[in-house]
Amino acid sequence: MGLQVPLLKAQVGQPKPLGPSLQANNKWNFAVYAPDATALTLWLFQADTEEPIAELAFTGRTGDIWHLAVAGIPAGTLYALAASGDNKPVHGLRFDAERLLIDPYCKRLNRPQRFQSHLYQQKSPLFISKGVLAHHDFDWQGVAKPQIPTEQTIIYEAHVKGLTMLHPDVPEKLRGTYLGLCHPSIIKHLQQLGITSIQLLPVASFMSEPRLEAMQLSNYWGYNPVNFFAPDPRYQLEDAVSEFKTMVRTFHQHGIEVILDVVFNHSAEAGDDGPILSFRGLANRQYYLFHNHADITDYQSYCNFTGCGNTLNVAQPVMQKLVMDALRYWLTEMQVDGFRFDLAVTLGREHKRFNPYAAFFQIIAQDPVISEAKLIAEPWDVGPFGYHLGQFPAIWAELNDKCRDSFRAFWRGNKGSLAEFTTRLLGSRDIFQKHRMPASCSVNYLCYHDGFTLQDLVSYEKKHNWLNGEENRDGHGHNLSCNHGVEGPSREASITAKRYQHKRNLAATLLLSQGMIHWLGGDELSHSQRGNNNAYCQDNDISWLSWQLDSEQKDFLQFVQQLMALRKRYPCLQQLSLLDEQYQLHGDKHQVQWYLPSGELKQSHDWHDPERLCCLFSIRNMRDGASLLFVFNAAQHEQMISLPAGDWCLLFDTALDKGLLQAANRHHGQYQQPAFSISLWQLHLAG
């Protein structure tokens, strides 16, 4: 090492912007935050072999920023950093001049970062992935962002690889890639389903944990970042940046938004004994949050509010800037439409406690770019006092786990669940209060990537995570699931029928609920993870979606397609605006009326009967009288329903003809609601 290339011309450079930036005359400027370093070095490498070609010392420093400009770097050259300084972990200093580091502002990596123990122990330059110095011209072809209103949003959560690996119409070369994700067959499926927005599990560059590598597993989900800007090369053919942009442009051309799951709460550097990859080797004390003992910071005791060994200190200005710069980059340069923030409570912790008025939220609220994006919070972390559903600012949407649990409990037949079920169904207004935020702040969902799939929810009583290597200790035990008599797959017709009925009820409940809709990709295909409710390390057909459907699976897919189309057909299903609604005053006003099965109006004391598992209500448009009637019967016996006055058209009943939409059959008087089913009705207006 230590080679010098005479064609390169080094200069002092500028402290802004952070990271590598291409300037005039093919000159690259590098600016790196490393306040405690005594020296910083830029290493350049051959693009094909990663052979070192130059070692250049940073000669400029402005405050905490080191900077260097270099002319004559060939396009495609690779780079990494090395920082010198004290190695005193007790003081939070972990410098090692012999260990290469990823630039936190690197925009493209040459290969996936993997933990190879022998290379790490040897401090080999081959251990670390290198940044690629290349300019990325891209033609967006004038394609604009779809800008789907929040109340009309139906999110489809998917994994770049898992969605396409088994798809027979996606060319084998494209499977598992950014370009495969936007293949016409995938676009067609999403459009036929009725999806407005695709939400991708993390695509920022990540590394699997060393313990997973040792078990020959991997962090398939990608929640272990090494960089916040560079799209992960695992999903590329040649150039992750250009191919990711092509994917986004293609989705936008078809009116579909792209939302990214982002992880700003921790990094792959883990705890005190974790690897040094980037942040820890440049500014450990500034990037991470540490415990205090008697007002003295213990720099060997990382706060672990994430369950991953460390917690990034987003309250620290440099970390805050890094996150904001990354968000703007994805929104502008990469043209995505929004973000789902993993363990978002961590981002709002100041002095280690969550603050709904934290500086991070205030900065986002006034940022002209980020504030216009879709912002979805996972409103908890694993630290003390870490659950804060409903406490984020009104421009944020939040994952509503109470909605998930209530829907599951009601259809499992839990006694006393009716009152909460109806509250969640109509927008969880006890949490997302009408005077301060819209109902679309509630992200309603049945299943997420972490947990049972919809098929497994009706097929397993217990989790079966044995292949994860933790003796089934991992994963959540509170699943509110029901196997209908057999644990796992069954060919018995009666059990299969009950399971599909259960799924239809859950799907219909979700798509008739008030809020932003989140759908787990693959649930419409009846995808099973064989009882694994924490398949984060299963990069195989446990996680990959199968597109080979039998007749029952095709019927269920059609049912979900029709439900999503029905939701779009009726504005009151997307945005219910009651007479006392104060947050939003535009649009039609609606009246909700509750009934007993006898047809009598429901009284307050009727809500306190724990045995009651049947409810009826209507939504009436106050302008034109148009009305929908909803009947939910979670009881194991049929219920005679007295319909309100009028001529009612049955739209669907989940117990009839596999739930598929009915012809306009009219009813008045009474209707025998089958056991364990939902029906939806429309009032026929004369003329």
Side-chain angles (χ1 to χ4, degrees):
M1 301 178 77
L3 297 175
Q4 296 291 331
V5 178
L7 295 179
L8 301 178
K9 183 178 180 181
Q11 299 174 338
V12 172
Q14 301 294 325
K16 298 179 182 180
L18 287 171
S21 55
L22 183 59
Q23 301 179 337
N25 302 319
N26 199 31
K27 181 171 67 175
W28 284 91
N29 187 77
F30 301 86
V32 180
Y33 176 83
D36 298 321
T38 58
L40 200 67
T41 305
L42 173 72
W43 282 92
L44 299 177
F45 302 85
Q46 294 281 5
D48 51 354
T49 63
E50 296 191 25
E51 181 182 358
I53 58 176
E55 177 187 1
L56 303 169
F58 278 69
T59 55
R61 177 168 180 167
T62 302
D64 295 333
I65 310 297
W66 295 80
H67 42 89
L68 172 70
V70 183
I73 299 178
T77 297
L78 309 181
Y79 84 103
L81 304 172
S84 301
D86 290 336
N87 187 359
K88 297 179 179 179
V90 69
H91 297 302
L93 303 174
R94 294 177 179 263
F95 295 104
D96 187 342
E98 297 180 5
R99 192 174 293 287
L100 294 180
L101 306 169
I102 297 172
D103 181 358
Y105 276 79
C106 173
K107 305 301 190 298
R108 178 183 167 192
L109 291 177
N110 70 320
R111 55 179 169 83
Q113 177 62 46
R114 292 189 168 90
F115 187 83
Q116 297 172 283
S117 180
H118 65 290
L119 294 179
Y120 183 77
Q121 297 302 327
Q122 296 168 6
K123 301 182 181 181
S124 168
L126 295 176
F127 170 77
I128 207 78
S129 298
K130 316 297 189 301
V132 180
L133 296 173
H135 182 60
H136 294 274
D137 286 323
F138 189 79
D139 182 8
W140 288 98
Q141 300 176 0
V143 176
K145 295 184 178 183
Q147 296 184 329
I148 308 295
T150 55
E151 65 272 9
Q152 297 176 17
T153 300
I154 300 179
I155 294 172
Y156 185 92
E157 185 187 23
H159 189 283
V160 172
K161 185 175 185 180
L163 189 60
T164 60
M165 277 300 290
L166 301 178
H167 200 296
D169 296 332
V170 176
E172 189 171 348
K173 179 181 179 181
L174 297 182
R175 294 176 189 173
T177 69
Y178 299 117
L179 296 182
L181 194 67
C182 61
H183 186 269
S185 61
I186 302 297
I187 298 287
K188 180 180 179 182
H189 175 74
L190 297 178
Q191 289 182 322
Q192 290 180 339
L193 193 59
I195 297 302
T196 68
S197 314
I198 186 168
Q199 178 179 303
L200 302 179
L201 270 71
V203 297
S205 295
F206 64 92
M207 184 188 79
S208 294
E209 293 86 341
R211 66 175 185 83
L212 290 179
E213 294 282 0
M215 292 189 293
Q216 296 184 323
L217 296 171
S218 66
N219 191 319
Y220 168 72
W221 286 350
Y223 288 91
N224 211 36
V226 296
N227 180 274
F228 299 133
F229 294 84
D232 198 283
R234 287 171 176 81
Y235 313 129
Q236 72 178 24
L237 294 178
E238 297 177 357
D239 177 356
V241 174
S242 296
E243 292 164 20
F244 183 90
K245 290 179 178 179
T246 300
M247 178 195 73
V248 173
R249 183 183 65 192
T250 305
F251 278 125
H252 285 177
Q253 286 171 333
H254 292 86
I256 299 173
E257 295 179 319
V258 178
I259 297 172
L260 300 186
D261 197 330
V262 289
V263 185
F264 295 122
N265 54 75
H266 77 280
S267 82
E269 292 180 314
D272 184 62
D273 58 350
I276 297 173
L277 306 169
S278 177
F279 309 105
R280 182 176 288 166
L282 292 170
N284 182 52
R285 299 198 297 187
Q286 291 77 16
Y287 281 124
Y288 292 108
L289 193 61
F290 299 88
H291 286 293
N292 297 327
H293 301 289
D295 295 326
I296 298 175
T297 300
D298 179 1
Y299 286 109
Q300 290 185 283
S301 181
Y302 289 84
C303 291
N304 186 15
F305 300 151
T306 65
C308 300
N310 63 53
T311 302
L312 292 167
N313 189 5
V314 180
Q316 216 278 350
V318 67
M319 189 65 218
Q320 209 165 76
K321 175 175 172 54
L322 177 65
V323 172
M324 299 298 288
D325 287 346
L327 293 175
R328 290 191 202 96
Y329 177 80
W330 287 103
L331 289 169
T332 56
E333 180 66 23
M334 308 296 266
Q335 285 289 294
V336 304
D337 302 275
F339 306 97
R340 178 264 192 189
F341 292 81
D342 182 61
L343 300 182
V345 164
T346 298
L347 307 180
R349 285 187 181 269
E350 294 183 336
H351 306 291
K352 301 177 185 175
R353 291 294 186 95
F354 177 78
N355 179 6
Y357 303 101
F360 177 74
F361 299 138
Q362 295 185 39
I363 292 172
I364 281 185
Q366 59 79 40
D367 187 282
V369 175
I370 303 174
S371 63
E372 294 298 314
K374 280 191 168 69
L375 306 172
I376 302 171
E378 184 177 37
W380 53 78
D381 65 14
V382 300
F385 307 101
Y387 187 81
H388 292 276
L389 178 65
Q391 298 177 37
F392 281 69
I395 66 170
W396 289 68
E398 304 176 42
L399 301 182
N400 190 344
D401 62 324
K402 291 184 181 295
C403 187
R404 172 202 66 195
D405 291 349
S406 176
F407 291 172
R408 292 184 180 188
F410 180 74
W411 287 113
R412 201 174 66 158
N414 288 22
K415 293 183 178 180
S417 61
L418 178 61
E420 182 171 0
F421 171 79
T422 55
T423 299
R424 304 292 157 242
L425 189 67
L426 291 188
S428 297
R429 285 316 208 169
D430 58 330
I431 299 170
F432 303 96
Q433 298 173 6
K434 286 183 285 190
H435 66 276
R436 61 179 295 262
M437 55 183 61
S440 57
C441 283
S442 174
V443 179
N444 301 345
Y445 65 101
L446 300 171
C447 304
Y448 227 80
H449 64 268
D450 50 347
F452 277 151
T453 67
L454 185 56
Q455 181 65 33
D456 289 352
L457 189 65
V458 301
S459 304
Y460 294 88
E461 292 280 359
K462 299 178 181 179
K463 58 187 173 73
H464 297 264
N465 301 350
W466 300 101
L467 295 178
N468 294 358
E470 298 181 48
E471 298 182 351
N472 203 32
R473 292 189 299 267
D474 62 307
H476 206 293
H478 184 64
N479 296 295
L480 295 167
S481 58
C482 175
N483 66 15
H484 294 279
V486 174
E487 186 75 351
S490 174
R491 294 184 178 181
E492 188 174 332
S494 61
I495 291 177
T496 301
K498 289 178 181 178
R499 288 176 175 178
Y500 275 100
Q501 174 78 359
H502 196 166
K503 288 203 302 178
R504 289 195 294 271
N505 290 337
L506 287 166
T509 300
L510 175 65
L511 289 165
L512 295 176
S513 68
Q514 295 293 318
M516 188 187 299
I517 301 300
H518 176 283
W519 185 265
L520 176 62
D523 278 350
E524 76 283 6
L525 305 174
S526 301
H527 173 65
S528 171
Q529 293 178 169
R530 304 200 281 277
N532 192 322
N533 75 348
N534 188 35
Y536 76 104
C537 57
Q538 299 299 325
D539 187 1
N540 49 51
D541 63 357
I542 290 177
S543 299
W544 304 343
L545 303 189
S546 172
W547 297 84
Q548 303 298 324
L549 307 184
D550 60 28
S551 60
E552 290 177 312
Q553 292 169 334
K554 290 177 181 177
D555 286 339
F556 183 70
L557 171 60
Q558 184 181 357
F559 175 70
V560 176
Q561 291 171 336
Q562 292 185 346
L563 276 177
M564 291 192 183
L566 183 143
R567 180 180 178 86
K568 294 180 179 181
R569 188 187 315 156
Y570 296 99
C572 69
L573 297 179
Q574 303 168 32
Q575 187 176 39
L576 182 65
S577 182
L578 301 179
L579 294 175
D580 61 347
E581 176 68 74
Q582 297 300 314
Y583 186 85
Q584 294 170 310
L585 298 177
H586 57 80
D588 291 340
K589 286 293 182 180
H590 304 97
Q591 183 182 46
V592 174
Q593 189 69 65
W594 296 92
Y595 301 93
L596 293 172
S598 63
E600 298 174 271
L601 294 179
K602 200 163 190 174
Q603 305 301 318
S604 59
H605 64 269
D606 294 318
W607 291 103
H608 303 298
D609 181 358
E611 300 295 326
R612 193 179 297 280
L613 288 172
C614 181
C615 70
L616 298 75
F617 68 93
S618 64
I619 296 178
R620 179 172 179 263
N621 189 311
M622 301 302 290
R623 176 178 55 84
D624 58 13
S627 298
L628 292 177
L629 177 68
F630 304 73
V631 182
F632 295 83
N633 182 23
Q636 296 301 318
H637 55 81
E638 58 188 15
Q639 178 75 56
M640 182 62 71
I641 301 297
S642 293
L643 301 174
D647 198 5
W648 293 94
C649 300
L650 179 63
L651 298 179
F652 73 83
D653 187 322
T654 58
L656 303 179
D657 195 22
K658 300 182 179 180
L660 300 179
L661 298 192
Q662 305 292 307
N665 297 323
R666 296 185 188 179
H667 294 259
H668 57 82
Q670 292 186 315
Y671 178 75
Q672 191 84 352
Q673 184 66 49
F676 201 61
S677 66
I678 301 172
S679 63
L680 180 67
W681 306 75
Q682 180 179 16
L683 181 64
H684 177 70
L685 298 175

